[in-house]
Each structure stands twice: as C-alpha cells, then as structure tokens.
Amino acid sequence: MENITHNTENRILEAARDVFHRKGFNGARMQEIANLANINKSLLHYYFRNKELLFEKVFNDTFSQLASKMGGIFMSEMTLISKIETFVELYLIFISEHSYVMQFIINALQDRPERLRDIITNQNINPELLLEKIHKQLKNEMGIDMDPLQLYVNLLALVIFPVVAKPLLQSIFSLSDERMAVFYEERKKIVPVFIENALKGYEKDKKLG
Amino acid sequence: MENITHNTENRILEAARDVFHRKGFNGARMQEIANLANINKSLLHYYFRNKELLFEKVFNDTFSQLASKMGGIFMSEMTLISKIETFVELYLIFISEHSYVMQFIINALQDRPERLRDIITNQNINPELLLEKIHKQLKNEMGIDMDPLQLYVNLLALVIFPVVAKPLLQSIFSLSDERMAVFYEERKKIVPVFIENALKGYEKDKKLG
DNA sequence: AAATGGTTTAACCAAACGGTCAAATGTACT
DNA sequence: AGTACATTTGACCGTTTGGTTAAACCATTT
C-alpha cells in the first residue's frame, strides 16, 4: 500500500535531508539516517543504491527548491527597488529558518563543482536572463550602467553571509541568541536601505562623470 | 638535530593545515596527512596524540592568523573610509589566495561553536573595542549614528561571500576562471565605492530626519 | 490456498579508519 | 664504546562504515 508517492521513500528522503544538511556528506552516517527514518539500514540501499546517489538526490532537491525561490522574485514584474526589498524580507526569513541549507550547498559544490552542471539546464531558471533583466532595470529605472552580476552578488552576500557566518559572528562579538535575533530583524530594514543608497550614489556619480 | 622549532612537527602541521582546510575534519584522513608530510602515520600521534588535537591546533593557528589580519587594519589610525578601502584591497587578495580558509573556519564553528571561546580571550584582539572605534569614527567623520556591527558585517559579507560562494556563482552563471578573476579584480574598486555611497546616503537621511 | 512480486529485516562482509605497541634507529653525553 | 633518551618505523588491533545477501514478510492475483 502506498501513500503519497511512496511513504517509505519519503521518510528516507526527509531523514537524509536532515542529516546531510547538518553534517554534510562526510559527516553523515547511513545508520543515522536509517534510525531517523525508523527503518532498517538496508532499505536505504534498496531505494537509493548507495550513499552517493542518496546524497545527490538530496542535493538536487534542495538546490532546485532554493533556486526557484531565488529566481522567482527577480523574474517578476516589479520595480528593482521593490524586488530588492522583497528579496531581503523573504530570504532573510527563509534562510534563518533553514540556516544549514546555504552552507550545505556551498560545501557540496566546493567538494565537487560539477554537481550543478547537469541540473541547472534542467531547471526552468535562466541566470543570463535574470542578469539581463536586472541590467535593464538598473538602466531604465535608475539610469545606472552597472554590471548586474556585481549588484546581485552584493545582494546575496548581504543576505546570506550573516546567516552562514552566524557561529563565527556570535563567538567573536559575544552575542546572545536574543541579540542575534534582533540583529537579523534589524537587517530587514538596513540592507535594502543600504543597497538603495549605494545605487543612488552610483547614479549621482554617473551623472557627474 | 632540530631546525626552526622542530622540522618534523612543522612538516606535519603544514600538511595537516592543507588537508584539513580542503576537506574539513570529517573528510580528512590521518594517512593522507602523513603521506603529504612524508612521514610515518604513527608520528602524527607521537606529536599530537590524536586527530582531534591535531585539528584543534590547526584551527587555532589558522584563526589567530586570520584574526590578527582582520583586527589590525581597523585598530590603526586612519579615516574610516581609508580603512574600508585598505581592508577590501588586502582582504580580497588574501582570501582569493586562501579560498579554503574562510569556509574551513565557518564549518569548524558550525560543528562546534565553543571552539572559539578559549582562544578569543588569549588573542590580543578586542572585538568590543573595534566596534567602539568604528562607531566613533562613523559619528565624528561622517555624522552617522549607525550600529557599527551592521556596517562591519556588511563589509565582511561583501568581501568574504563572493569568495566562499565561488563554485556556486561560477556554476550558476557559467563564468570562466578568467571572467571570475576579472570579477574579483573589479570588486576591489566597486565594493569600497558601494559602501561609501551607502554611508553617504545614510548620512543624508539622518540630516533630513 | 498457492503463487507471484514487491518490500522489509537481520546477519554478515570487506575495507577503511584512528590508534597502539614494540622494536629499530638516531643522537648526545660520559 | 656504552648508556640513556628522543625519534621513527612497520606491523598490528578494534571499531566503524558502506554495502551485500538470503530469508522473511505482506499484499495482490489466480
């Protein structure tokens, strides 16, 4: 008897996602995944052959989910400023709730960069189109001729880094969990303003130059 | 006969640093470290007891080296703007050359945040003092009353993230190594301007508000 | 109820791993 | 040369780990 697209398989995937996200490929144990899913270890191999393939499945699922969230906002029809504000708001919430996800992706790609090659084309996301759209909006809405990649990376950096580096920042500056929560909450306001100001300054420079 | 502070011990530490930086604690193999150092595996245990202690030594050394580089600039006597420019310039070079280091630190702290507790006090770096200094300079030199932590984290984010996320960015946007090198080179100019503009805008808001 | 085929389990395996140990080698001092 | 001590080595050990296998279980079909 099968529940929604096979119950056992899903239980395994959920457990695997949890363990892989927290401990990475090398830190994860097949036995731990089996325990978490409340099944016999052999079932992992029955459904996914081996650790590498199970990891690959988790990685692909995770990345796709993340990518669609990332691309979606910027492919919509809003002003660039609104997109930035929405992006910061939504992303900061999402990443705080899934603080492991981003680092999981980065580490997996550090180990083997070719992991992405295959799935990016399969995805309905078009990074070049995204940059093109940002480029046009920068020009049309703000009169700025700037490399859109630089802007987009700045945006990602300001949102993602503070979450990924949380333990580092918290240790160095002796910040309590409460102080840290306030810090993130503040960023929802600060980051968009920071970027908008930077762009306005750039715009002024351009007009002067 | 002993060279500069014991030759064998240093060879081990260099090899261990290399392997741990690239593969992390779980991915590293004692045998691989021994091979790289051209010594018998037992010597690792003779000098450092076990894997955990060897890792700890590498982590502490790496962090101290990094921290002194980080703190140094901002404790010096320059204008805030100059500090930011110097920081971006120096850090972007350093991190590009040691792209694994930052992620190594972040991952090690993700696994066990308490690693830093001990060594931060031993270091002659004072994070609170650093923030205080930035805070004063923001006020005195630019008339801005801003949380210095937010500014400092923004700076770190803009410099560190693009390097840590290199494989991610390179895959997503199909960037060649050459394009990537140009991208980083561009950032040496773009990031300081980006931050300065953002601050100027903030300054203006303050005066209006 | 017997047969069929997918699912689950326990027992097991070989390789890899961190770590130990006793012997060997080198070095400095008497 | 001989002793004492630190250094280095190879052989070995117990455990953990990813993976296999054969048997048991279970639902559906005939």
Side-chain angles (χ1 to χ4, degrees):
Chain A
M1 206 51 66
E2 305 173 6
N3 264 15
I4 312 149
T5 59
H6 213 227
N7 197 282
T8 306
E9 195 171 324
N10 271 14
R11 280 231 307 285
I12 293 177
L13 279 177
E14 274 179 44
R17 197 185 317 140
D18 186 17
V19 176
F20 278 135
H21 281 188
R22 279 186 293 108
K23 312 203 168 179
F25 181 81
N26 287 318
R29 300 284 160 250
M30 294 296 267
Q31 188 60 60
E32 189 183 353
I33 295 173
N35 290 345
L36 198 63
N38 255 319
I39 50 144
N40 188 285
K41 188 176 61 123
S42 300
L43 275 186
L44 298 181
H45 298 94
Y46 177 74
Y47 281 98
F48 298 95
R49 284 266 292 281
N50 57 43
K51 192 183 181 183
E52 183 63 42
L53 285 175
L54 178 55
F55 183 84
E56 211 166 279
K57 181 84 171 80
V58 169
F59 176 82
N60 289 354
D61 288 357
T62 303
F63 183 82
S64 298
Q65 201 187 332
L66 200 70
S68 73
K69 242 185 231 297
M70 260 170 68
I73 294 170
F74 275 87
M75 295 309 287
S76 72
E77 294 301 324
M78 306 165 67
T79 63
L80 189 59
I81 298 289
S82 300
K83 285 180 183 177
I84 291 172
E85 284 168 0
T86 327
F87 185 88
V88 173
E89 171 83 15
L90 293 184
Y91 228 66
L92 220 48
I93 293 173
F94 172 78
I95 287 200
S96 299
E97 284 168 357
H98 306 80
S99 59
Y100 290 112
V101 170
M102 210 54 225
Q103 198 160 351
F104 164 77
I105 298 276
I106 289 173
N107 282 329
L109 286 176
Q110 193 84 276
D111 282 354
R112 211 175 303 170
E114 69 272 17
R115 271 191 220 280
L116 228 50
R117 298 278 148 79
D118 313 319
I119 58 173
I120 267 204
T121 46
N122 293 12
Q123 217 66 21
N124 50 348
I125 311 141
N126 190 334
E128 279 81 14
L129 196 67
L130 186 140
L131 291 184
E132 210 176 295
K133 205 154 187 183
I134 294 179
H135 191 58
K136 274 181 187 164
Q137 285 193 289
L138 268 171
K139 207 162 190 177
N140 296 338
E141 296 171 14
M142 316 189 70
I144 299 174
D145 184 28
M146 183 189 189
D147 179 359
L149 182 61
Q150 295 283 3
L151 174 62
Y152 194 61
V153 169
N154 285 355
L155 177 59
L156 290 180
L158 292 170
V159 174
I160 295 173
F161 175 82
V163 181
V164 169
K166 182 176 178 180
L168 179 67
L169 298 172
Q170 215 167 349
S171 298
I172 291 184
F173 297 107
S174 316
L175 307 172
S176 67
D177 289 347
E178 293 77 26
R179 172 76 178 88
M180 213 58 194
V182 174
F183 177 75
Y184 287 129
E185 198 55 37
E186 285 272 307
R187 288 190 76 76
K188 286 185 195 166
K189 284 174 284 178
I190 286 179
V191 171
V193 173
F194 195 84
I195 296 177
E196 287 159 27
N197 282 342
L199 289 179
K200 279 176 197 160
Y202 203 90
E203 180 178 13
K204 199 191 277 174
D205 288 351
K206 272 285 142 185
K207 281 176 181 165
L208 290 173
Chain B
M1 203 51 65
E2 302 173 9
N3 264 16
I4 313 149
T5 60
H6 212 225
N7 197 281
T8 305
E9 196 171 324
N10 270 14
R11 280 231 307 285
I12 293 177
L13 278 177
E14 274 179 44
R17 198 186 316 142
D18 186 17
V19 176
F20 279 135
H21 281 188
R22 279 186 292 111
K23 312 204 169 177
F25 181 82
N26 287 317
R29 299 285 161 250
M30 293 298 265
Q31 188 61 59
E32 191 184 352
I33 296 174
N35 291 345
L36 199 62
N38 255 316
I39 49 143
N40 190 286
K41 188 177 60 131
S42 300
L43 275 186
L44 299 181
H45 298 93
Y46 177 74
Y47 282 99
F48 297 97
R49 283 265 293 281
N50 57 43
K51 192 183 182 183
E52 182 64 43
L53 285 175
L54 178 55
F55 183 84
E56 212 167 278
K57 182 82 172 78
V58 168
F59 176 82
N60 288 355
D61 288 357
T62 303
F63 183 82
S64 297
Q65 200 187 332
L66 199 70
S68 72
K69 243 184 231 298
M70 260 170 67
I73 294 170
F74 274 88
M75 294 311 285
S76 72
E77 291 302 325
M78 306 164 70
T79 63
L80 188 59
I81 298 289
S82 299
K83 284 180 183 177
I84 291 172
E85 284 168 0
T86 329
F87 186 87
V88 172
E89 171 83 16
L90 293 183
Y91 227 67
L92 219 49
I93 293 173
F94 173 78
I95 286 197
S96 298
E97 284 169 354
H98 306 79
S99 61
Y100 290 112
V101 170
M102 210 55 224
Q103 198 160 351
F104 164 77
I105 298 276
I106 290 173
N107 282 329
L109 286 175
Q110 194 84 274
D111 282 353
R112 209 175 307 168
E114 69 272 16
R115 271 190 219 281
L116 229 51
R117 296 279 149 79
D118 312 319
I119 58 173
I120 267 205
T121 45
N122 293 12
Q123 217 66 22
N124 50 348
I125 312 142
N126 190 334
E128 279 81 14
L129 195 66
L130 185 140
L131 291 184
E132 210 176 293
K133 206 154 187 184
I134 294 179
H135 191 57
K136 275 182 187 163
Q137 285 192 290
L138 268 171
K139 209 163 190 174
N140 296 338
E141 295 170 14
M142 316 189 68
I144 299 172
D145 185 27
M146 182 190 190
D147 180 0
L149 182 62
Q150 295 282 3
L151 174 61
Y152 194 61
V153 168
N154 286 355
L155 177 60
L156 290 180
L158 291 171
V159 174
I160 294 173
F161 175 81
V163 181
V164 169
K166 181 177 178 180
L168 178 67
L169 298 173
Q170 214 167 350
S171 297
I172 290 183
F173 297 107
S174 316
L175 307 172
S176 66
D177 290 346
E178 293 77 27
R179 173 76 177 89
M180 213 57 195
V182 174
F183 177 75
Y184 287 130
E185 196 58 34
E186 286 273 304
R187 287 188 76 77
K188 288 185 194 167
K189 284 175 284 179
I190 287 180
V191 171
V193 173
F194 195 84
I195 296 178
E196 288 159 26
N197 282 341
L199 288 179
K200 280 176 197 160
Y202 203 89
E203 182 179 10
K204 198 190 277 175
D205 287 352
K206 272 284 143 185
K207 281 177 182 165
L208 291 172

